[in-house]
Amino acid sequence: MEIGSFIKLQRVKQGMTQEELADGIVSMSYLSKIENQRTEASPEVISMLCTRLGIELDGEKDITIKEKCENWFNMLFEVNDKEEIIEAYKELSELLAIVRSDSLMMFEIHKIRYFLILGEYDNALEQINKLNEVSGSFDSLHLFYWYKFKGNYSTANNEFNQAMRMYKVAEDKLNQIKLKDEQVADLQYTIAVTHSKLRNTLESIEYSNKAIDTFQREYNFIRCAQCHILLGISYRRIKMYEKAIKHYNLARRLGELNKNKQVIQLTNQNLGYLYSSIGDSKEAIKHFVEVVEDEMLQINERLLGITNLIKEYYKIHNFEKAHQAIEKANELLELSKENVNYSLYNYIIHTFKFAINEQSDQFISLVKEEFIPYLQKRKDYGNLIEYSNMLAKHFEKLGRYKDSVKYYKLANLTYEEVVNL
Amino acid sequence: MKKMIAAVALGTLLVGGFLFTQDNQPTDLATGESEPSVFSKMSLTSLKF
């Protein structure tokens, strides 16, 4: 990293103006030239500026910092203890605040990923905004991570179109830099997940296959399992069920070998969904029950499992079991009021509760006045189709054909929108 | 001149329309299916990203 960019970054970080930093050392315009690398300042000037910024210039320390940074960057991609990541971050922050290091810019860029991993999205955004000011001096490697992590930020906010744009720019940078195969595969995997979120099925298959090739060579079994799950989802969507099941089974096998419950249960979740979509409720229920009963799982995953289970029992008219599942779902919901999807699950659970209890007025009022507008606002087209259809069917049963047509039409229009993507 | 203005206006509309369509794609379509995380390698002892 050039000394000029380094000084600029440190000055911005400390909230200092050019005037304040230059005062008594150089003119403001000269400082501006140094920062923008349009001139090379003498070592004395650099030393004075660094002293004012409270920074040491020590080559030996830089080597240690570089190693520590590399370790910390790896921690952000591997499975690691939260406390350990935070501790390493604090140590590096303190060191980099007083020693001039070439790793500083990379550290600042990786902070975006760090905040995202901790779920501190506001801090991640603040870091992005702060780095925007100095992004003009980024080299190709910096730019690769800059775009990748900005994509990660969009992913975390469910803005998958924007995320895809960022990942594609990062992918373009690959020609200009030398990265480890596993790093390249990580980006390919990320793109595969994003394509899957956007329902670009063939692209998701293409990128999953690219990534899995590397992960197999590197014996990275968990990532292999995750790619198999993506392939399972994609093949189900194009109705190649046998191939989808084969990939899910491979994912589960890898999960079992590595004793990784999350992989196993994510496979169960998706297998359940596959069997449900081909009308095999018995198999679907078997898989959903496994997810719901696993108390080691995150609440969000169990809520997805239990809402799927309620739908399946409702579908086969086993209302007693559906009731029990609703009670269990309410218990889980109570534990997750902070969950981002709390409202969604709350609506789903109450919709089925009213439907099963034949509380027609409450059902209509909830779905029509609250749930459907909520889904429209979230652009959650998948659920919008499902619940518009459910409401339309209900109106049809009541002989309210005009209302029924209105919601069948809404479901159809939404479906067309999804197909036209 | 008029033709040029009309062509520029039409071009702007088309590009605007395209960008609008791009940005109005749904954010998440998943209903019961669930993709693995972009961040974690999934371990119960690790962070839940």
Side-chain angles (χ1 to χ4, degrees):
Chain A
M1 183 181 174
E2 296 298 329
I3 188 75
S5 314
F6 172 76
I7 288 174
K8 185 176 181 182
L9 177 67
Q10 286 292 358
R11 180 180 60 75
V12 171
K13 258 180 79 181
Q14 295 183 25
M16 213 183 257
T17 62
Q18 280 186 332
E19 198 180 354
E20 285 165 343
L21 179 58
D23 188 31
I25 302 175
V26 286
S27 68
M28 234 173 77
S29 61
Y30 190 63
L31 176 62
S32 176
K33 277 185 185 169
I34 297 172
E35 286 189 350
N36 296 313
Q37 293 152 58
R38 279 188 277 121
T39 187
E40 268 192 35
S42 67
E44 291 77 31
V45 168
I46 297 293
S47 169
M48 279 193 277
L49 291 172
C50 285
T51 308
R52 181 156 297 167
L53 287 164
I55 296 155
E56 284 176 42
L57 291 167
D58 186 338
E60 272 180 36
K61 273 191 184 164
D62 187 27
I63 298 167
T64 325
I65 291 175
K66 203 174 171 191
E67 279 170 15
K68 283 181 190 285
C69 276
E70 292 290 331
N71 277 341
W72 185 67
F73 298 161
N74 286 333
M75 278 185 191
L76 302 177
F77 289 93
E78 297 294 326
V79 176
N80 269 296
D81 182 52
K82 185 179 174 177
E83 299 305 320
E84 213 179 305
I85 296 177
I86 296 173
E87 209 170 292
Y89 166 76
K90 281 182 182 164
E91 190 194 350
L92 276 169
S93 289
E94 281 168 18
L95 271 173
L96 287 164
I98 51 162
V99 180
R100 194 231 147 183
S101 167
D102 284 341
S103 311
L104 178 67
M105 194 64 95
M106 203 55 114
F107 173 75
E108 291 295 325
I109 295 171
H110 275 73
K111 268 161 82 172
I112 302 170
R113 174 120 176 163
Y114 168 75
F115 289 132
L116 291 175
I117 281 173
L118 295 187
E120 297 173 7
Y121 301 139
D122 290 345
N123 285 340
L125 181 62
E126 202 181 305
Q127 183 67 7
I128 289 173
N129 290 335
K130 212 162 73 181
L131 286 176
N132 254 332
E133 284 191 48
V134 287
S135 61
S137 62
F138 285 174
D139 61 26
S140 296
L141 190 63
H142 291 149
L143 285 171
F144 170 78
Y145 288 109
W146 169 240
Y147 285 113
K148 186 180 172 193
F149 299 157
K150 282 213 292 186
N152 285 166
Y153 175 77
S154 299
T155 297
N157 283 293
N158 287 348
E159 291 162 346
F160 299 111
N161 284 302
Q162 176 64 9
M164 182 60 84
R165 279 194 277 271
M166 293 294 128
Y167 295 141
K168 284 288 176 186
V169 183
E171 193 186 27
D172 287 343
K173 299 284 164 209
L174 285 175
N175 301 327
Q176 301 156 28
I177 50 176
K178 187 89 194 94
L179 275 185
K180 282 185 191 161
D181 286 351
E182 195 149 4
Q183 284 280 350
V184 177
D186 188 73
L187 179 70
Q188 288 163 340
Y189 163 76
T190 305
I191 294 177
V193 173
T194 315
H195 273 309
S196 183
K197 295 271 188 195
L198 291 166
R199 297 232 164 185
N200 301 328
T201 306
L202 295 180
E203 288 88 341
S204 181
I205 291 175
E206 185 193 334
Y207 276 90
S208 299
N209 280 328
K210 279 187 196 173
I212 211 171
D213 269 352
T214 310
F215 291 138
Q216 274 170 351
R217 260 187 282 123
E218 307 270 338
Y219 303 106
N220 189 339
F221 297 125
I222 300 302
R223 276 281 191 246
C224 282
Q226 290 175 310
C227 287
H228 281 304
I229 292 173
L230 282 176
L231 288 166
I233 292 174
S234 297
Y235 284 118
R236 186 209 65 80
R237 284 178 179 161
I238 50 174
K239 301 193 191 314
M240 292 174 70
Y241 299 117
E242 276 184 28
K243 219 164 174 174
I245 292 170
K246 197 184 105 192
H247 280 289
Y248 284 141
N249 285 336
L250 281 168
R252 188 171 26 204
R253 183 95 191 95
L254 287 169
E256 282 165 355
L257 283 172
N258 289 277
K259 297 190 174 55
N260 190 314
K261 280 216 165 188
Q262 270 183 293
V263 166
I264 299 169
Q265 296 304 12
L266 189 64
T267 311
N268 276 328
Q269 190 88 266
N270 286 308
L271 261 175
Y273 190 78
L274 181 147
Y275 284 117
S276 169
S277 65
I278 56 174
D280 188 343
S281 291
K282 204 176 148 195
E283 273 297 308
I285 288 168
K286 198 178 97 188
H287 287 97
F288 291 143
V289 165
E290 269 196 61
V291 177
V292 173
E293 286 181 352
D294 192 336
E295 290 183 0
M296 295 290 281
L297 274 190
Q298 266 188 295
I299 295 277
N300 200 38
E301 288 154 2
R302 292 176 74 196
L303 273 171
L304 182 62
I306 197 127
T307 43
N308 279 332
L309 192 60
I310 295 169
K311 285 180 204 172
E312 213 52 42
Y313 281 134
Y314 181 77
K315 204 160 98 182
I316 57 168
H317 300 283
N318 189 341
F319 296 141
E320 199 190 322
K321 287 272 186 193
H323 257 304
Q324 288 171 8
I326 286 172
E327 270 175 39
K328 177 109 186 150
N330 275 324
E331 283 171 26
L332 289 176
L333 208 57
E334 276 298 304
L335 297 172
S336 65
K337 290 207 164 142
E338 302 296 310
N339 194 312
V340 277
N341 290 322
Y342 175 84
S343 304
L344 175 70
Y345 291 125
N346 196 23
Y347 282 131
I348 295 177
I349 292 164
H350 281 91
T351 299
F352 280 96
K353 189 177 158 191
F354 294 144
I356 291 164
N357 291 341
E358 295 181 348
Q359 292 167 286
S360 179
D361 291 346
Q362 283 101 321
F363 172 81
I364 293 170
S365 159
L366 179 78
V367 181
K368 189 178 155 190
E369 313 292 340
E370 292 181 46
F371 196 15
I372 286 182
Y374 167 82
L375 294 170
Q376 284 171 319
K377 200 173 155 204
R378 271 176 54 125
K379 294 182 190 165
D380 185 344
Y381 293 161
N383 278 315
L384 189 55
I385 296 170
E386 190 173 339
Y387 293 98
S388 304
N389 261 324
M390 192 173 173
L391 183 61
K393 217 176 267 178
H394 185 73
F395 279 132
E396 194 182 354
K397 216 163 80 184
L398 295 178
R400 290 169 60 174
Y401 298 114
K402 211 171 155 186
D403 286 324
S404 170
V405 167
K406 185 179 160 191
Y407 286 96
Y408 275 132
K409 209 169 156 184
L410 175 64
N412 256 332
L413 286 172
T414 315
Y415 182 73
E416 275 171 28
E417 208 149 341
V418 174
V419 173
N420 284 336
L421 281 180
Chain B
M1 188 66 184
K2 271 184 188 171
K3 268 186 186 173
M4 200 186 87
I5 293 169
V8 169
L10 186 62
T12 314
L13 274 175
L14 283 173
V15 172
F18 173 74
L19 291 175
F20 178 80
T21 320
Q22 289 271 305
D23 283 337
N24 278 278
Q25 285 184 10
T27 49
D28 193 358
L29 299 159
T31 46
E33 250 161 0
S34 186
E35 279 94 357
S37 165
V38 158
F39 296 105
S40 81
K41 279 189 189 163
M42 297 194 204
S43 160
L44 291 171
T45 53
S46 75
L47 294 167
K48 304 289 177 55
F49 301 159

PDB file of all heavy atoms in Angstrom, chain A residues 22-38:
ATOM      1  N   ALA A  22      -1.998  18.876   8.080  1.00  0.00           N
ATOM      2  CA  ALA A  22      -0.901  19.562   7.402  1.00  0.00           C
ATOM      3  C   ALA A  22      -0.327  20.715   8.228  1.00  0.00           C
ATOM      4  O   ALA A  22       0.836  21.070   8.053  1.00  0.00           O
ATOM      5  CB  ALA A  22      -1.389  20.081   6.056  1.00  0.00           C
ATOM      6  N   ASP A  23      -1.149  21.232   9.124  1.00  0.00           N
ATOM      7  CA  ASP A  23      -0.797  22.448   9.867  1.00  0.00           C
ATOM      8  C   ASP A  23       0.639  22.449  10.426  1.00  0.00           C
ATOM      9  O   ASP A  23       1.007  21.620  11.255  1.00  0.00           O
ATOM     10  CB  ASP A  23      -1.812  22.617  11.024  1.00  0.00           C
ATOM     11  CG  ASP A  23      -1.611  23.965  11.700  1.00  0.00           C
ATOM     12  OD1 ASP A  23      -1.209  24.915  11.008  1.00  0.00           O
ATOM     13  OD2 ASP A  23      -1.840  24.039  12.922  1.00  0.00           O
ATOM     14  N   GLY A  24       1.455  23.359   9.942  1.00  0.00           N
ATOM     15  CA  GLY A  24       2.815  23.496  10.447  1.00  0.00           C
ATOM     16  C   GLY A  24       3.804  22.521   9.850  1.00  0.00           C
ATOM     17  O   GLY A  24       5.003  22.590  10.132  1.00  0.00           O
ATOM     18  N   ILE A  25       3.327  21.571   9.038  1.00  0.00           N
ATOM     19  CA  ILE A  25       4.251  20.580   8.450  1.00  0.00           C
ATOM     20  C   ILE A  25       4.424  20.868   6.954  1.00  0.00           C
ATOM     21  O   ILE A  25       5.525  21.094   6.465  1.00  0.00           O
ATOM     22  CB  ILE A  25       3.752  19.130   8.668  1.00  0.00           C
ATOM     23  CG1 ILE A  25       3.581  18.836  10.163  1.00  0.00           C
ATOM     24  CG2 ILE A  25       4.731  18.125   8.031  1.00  0.00           C
ATOM     25  CD1 ILE A  25       2.989  17.482  10.484  1.00  0.00           C
ATOM     26  N   VAL A  26       3.293  20.805   6.238  1.00  0.00           N
ATOM     27  CA  VAL A  26       3.309  21.119   4.801  1.00  0.00           C
ATOM     28  C   VAL A  26       2.068  21.939   4.478  1.00  0.00           C
ATOM     29  O   VAL A  26       1.184  22.094   5.333  1.00  0.00           O
ATOM     30  CB  VAL A  26       3.295  19.827   3.924  1.00  0.00           C
ATOM     31  CG1 VAL A  26       4.628  19.116   3.937  1.00  0.00           C
ATOM     32  CG2 VAL A  26       2.174  18.897   4.367  1.00  0.00           C
ATOM     33  N   SER A  27       1.986  22.429   3.237  1.00  0.00           N
ATOM     34  CA  SER A  27       0.753  23.133   2.870  1.00  0.00           C
ATOM     35  C   SER A  27      -0.332  22.099   2.602  1.00  0.00           C
ATOM     36  O   SER A  27      -0.052  20.919   2.355  1.00  0.00           O
ATOM     37  CB  SER A  27       0.984  23.965   1.602  1.00  0.00           C
ATOM     38  OG  SER A  27       1.181  23.082   0.513  1.00  0.00           O
ATOM     39  N   MET A  28      -1.585  22.577   2.650  1.00  0.00           N
ATOM     40  CA  MET A  28      -2.714  21.661   2.429  1.00  0.00           C
ATOM     41  C   MET A  28      -2.681  21.049   1.037  1.00  0.00           C
ATOM     42  O   MET A  28      -2.960  19.878   0.835  1.00  0.00           O
ATOM     43  CB  MET A  28      -4.016  22.430   2.621  1.00  0.00           C
ATOM     44  CG  MET A  28      -4.930  21.786   3.624  1.00  0.00           C
ATOM     45  SD  MET A  28      -6.307  22.843   3.916  1.00  0.00           S
ATOM     46  CE  MET A  28      -7.287  22.559   2.486  1.00  0.00           C
ATOM     47  N   SER A  29      -2.302  21.873   0.052  1.00  0.00           N
ATOM     48  CA  SER A  29      -2.298  21.368  -1.323  1.00  0.00           C
ATOM     49  C   SER A  29      -1.202  20.317  -1.496  1.00  0.00           C
ATOM     50  O   SER A  29      -1.369  19.334  -2.215  1.00  0.00           O
ATOM     51  CB  SER A  29      -2.139  22.503  -2.325  1.00  0.00           C
ATOM     52  OG  SER A  29      -0.910  23.146  -2.089  1.00  0.00           O
ATOM     53  N   TYR A  30      -0.077  20.514  -0.773  1.00  0.00           N
ATOM     54  CA  TYR A  30       1.008  19.527  -0.872  1.00  0.00           C
ATOM     55  C   TYR A  30       0.564  18.207  -0.228  1.00  0.00           C
ATOM     56  O   TYR A  30       0.818  17.128  -0.771  1.00  0.00           O
ATOM     57  CB  TYR A  30       2.270  20.079  -0.202  1.00  0.00           C
ATOM     58  CG  TYR A  30       3.495  19.229  -0.483  1.00  0.00           C
ATOM     59  CD1 TYR A  30       3.977  19.079  -1.790  1.00  0.00           C
ATOM     60  CD2 TYR A  30       4.168  18.572   0.535  1.00  0.00           C
ATOM     61  CE1 TYR A  30       5.087  18.291  -2.058  1.00  0.00           C
ATOM     62  CE2 TYR A  30       5.284  17.779   0.273  1.00  0.00           C
ATOM     63  CZ  TYR A  30       5.744  17.649  -1.019  1.00  0.00           C
ATOM     64  OH  TYR A  30       6.844  16.866  -1.281  1.00  0.00           O
ATOM     65  N   LEU A  31      -0.135  18.313   0.908  1.00  0.00           N
ATOM     66  CA  LEU A  31      -0.642  17.099   1.566  1.00  0.00           C
ATOM     67  C   LEU A  31      -1.603  16.359   0.625  1.00  0.00           C
ATOM     68  O   LEU A  31      -1.561  15.135   0.507  1.00  0.00           O
ATOM     69  CB  LEU A  31      -1.360  17.448   2.882  1.00  0.00           C
ATOM     70  CG  LEU A  31      -2.019  16.258   3.590  1.00  0.00           C
ATOM     71  CD1 LEU A  31      -0.999  15.204   3.996  1.00  0.00           C
ATOM     72  CD2 LEU A  31      -2.809  16.701   4.819  1.00  0.00           C
ATOM     73  N   SER A  32      -2.429  17.128  -0.037  1.00  0.00           N
ATOM     74  CA  SER A  32      -3.383  16.527  -0.968  1.00  0.00           C
ATOM     75  C   SER A  32      -2.638  15.765  -2.063  1.00  0.00           C
ATOM     76  O   SER A  32      -3.022  14.649  -2.445  1.00  0.00           O
ATOM     77  CB  SER A  32      -4.265  17.623  -1.571  1.00  0.00           C
ATOM     78  OG  SER A  32      -5.108  17.080  -2.516  1.00  0.00           O
ATOM     79  N   LYS A  33      -1.529  16.350  -2.557  1.00  0.00           N
ATOM     80  CA  LYS A  33      -0.720  15.677  -3.588  1.00  0.00           C
ATOM     81  C   LYS A  33      -0.109  14.390  -3.037  1.00  0.00           C
ATOM     82  O   LYS A  33      -0.060  13.371  -3.714  1.00  0.00           O
ATOM     83  CB  LYS A  33       0.390  16.621  -4.073  1.00  0.00           C
ATOM     84  CG  LYS A  33      -0.070  17.605  -5.126  1.00  0.00           C
ATOM     85  CD  LYS A  33       1.123  18.397  -5.623  1.00  0.00           C
ATOM     86  CE  LYS A  33       0.664  19.472  -6.599  1.00  0.00           C
ATOM     87  NZ  LYS A  33       1.734  20.416  -6.889  1.00  0.00           N
ATOM     88  N   ILE A  34       0.364  14.454  -1.780  1.00  0.00           N
ATOM     89  CA  ILE A  34       0.966  13.249  -1.171  1.00  0.00           C
ATOM     90  C   ILE A  34      -0.095  12.149  -1.076  1.00  0.00           C
ATOM     91  O   ILE A  34       0.126  11.012  -1.469  1.00  0.00           O
ATOM     92  CB  ILE A  34       1.522  13.555   0.256  1.00  0.00           C
ATOM     93  CG1 ILE A  34       2.635  14.586   0.182  1.00  0.00           C
ATOM     94  CG2 ILE A  34       2.017  12.286   0.929  1.00  0.00           C
ATOM     95  CD1 ILE A  34       3.120  15.096   1.552  1.00  0.00           C
ATOM     96  N   GLU A  35      -1.262  12.530  -0.564  1.00  0.00           N
ATOM     97  CA  GLU A  35      -2.332  11.543  -0.368  1.00  0.00           C
ATOM     98  C   GLU A  35      -2.767  10.912  -1.686  1.00  0.00           C
ATOM     99  O   GLU A  35      -3.108   9.735  -1.749  1.00  0.00           O
ATOM    100  CB  GLU A  35      -3.541  12.203   0.311  1.00  0.00           C
ATOM    101  CG  GLU A  35      -3.312  12.486   1.780  1.00  0.00           C
ATOM    102  CD  GLU A  35      -4.576  12.941   2.478  1.00  0.00           C
ATOM    103  OE1 GLU A  35      -5.575  13.213   1.790  1.00  0.00           O
ATOM    104  OE2 GLU A  35      -4.562  13.028   3.726  1.00  0.00           O
ATOM    105  N   ASN A  36      -2.785  11.706  -2.731  1.00  0.00           N
ATOM    106  CA  ASN A  36      -3.231  11.179  -4.022  1.00  0.00           C
ATOM    107  C   ASN A  36      -2.084  10.667  -4.888  1.00  0.00           C
ATOM    108  O   ASN A  36      -2.255  10.417  -6.080  1.00  0.00           O
ATOM    109  CB  ASN A  36      -4.036  12.246  -4.773  1.00  0.00           C
ATOM    110  CG  ASN A  36      -5.296  12.588  -4.022  1.00  0.00           C
ATOM    111  OD1 ASN A  36      -6.020  11.691  -3.577  1.00  0.00           O
ATOM    112  ND2 ASN A  36      -5.554  13.870  -3.840  1.00  0.00           N
ATOM    113  N   GLN A  37      -0.951  10.498  -4.269  1.00  0.00           N
ATOM    114  CA  GLN A  37       0.242   9.942  -4.909  1.00  0.00           C
ATOM    115  C   GLN A  37       0.665  10.711  -6.164  1.00  0.00           C
ATOM    116  O   GLN A  37       1.089  10.117  -7.139  1.00  0.00           O
ATOM    117  CB  GLN A  37       0.002   8.477  -5.243  1.00  0.00           C
ATOM    118  CG  GLN A  37      -0.122   7.615  -4.004  1.00  0.00           C
ATOM    119  CD  GLN A  37      -0.962   6.413  -4.243  1.00  0.00           C
ATOM    120  OE1 GLN A  37      -0.638   5.645  -5.107  1.00  0.00           O
ATOM    121  NE2 GLN A  37      -2.037   6.249  -3.505  1.00  0.00           N
ATOM    122  N   ARG A  38       0.505  12.025  -6.111  1.00  0.00           N
ATOM    123  CA  ARG A  38       0.955  12.820  -7.258  1.00  0.00           C
ATOM    124  C   ARG A  38       2.347  13.401  -6.994  1.00  0.00           C
ATOM    125  O   ARG A  38       2.924  14.032  -7.846  1.00  0.00           O
ATOM    126  CB  ARG A  38      -0.074  13.922  -7.565  1.00  0.00           C
ATOM    127  CG  ARG A  38      -1.251  13.352  -8.380  1.00  0.00           C
ATOM    128  CD  ARG A  38      -2.194  14.411  -8.870  1.00  0.00           C
ATOM    129  NE  ARG A  38      -3.150  14.766  -7.829  1.00  0.00           N
ATOM    130  CZ  ARG A  38      -3.288  15.984  -7.331  1.00  0.00           C
ATOM    131  NH1 ARG A  38      -2.528  16.964  -7.766  1.00  0.00           N
ATOM    132  NH2 ARG A  38      -4.183  16.224  -6.397  1.00  0.00           N
TER     133      ARG A  38
END
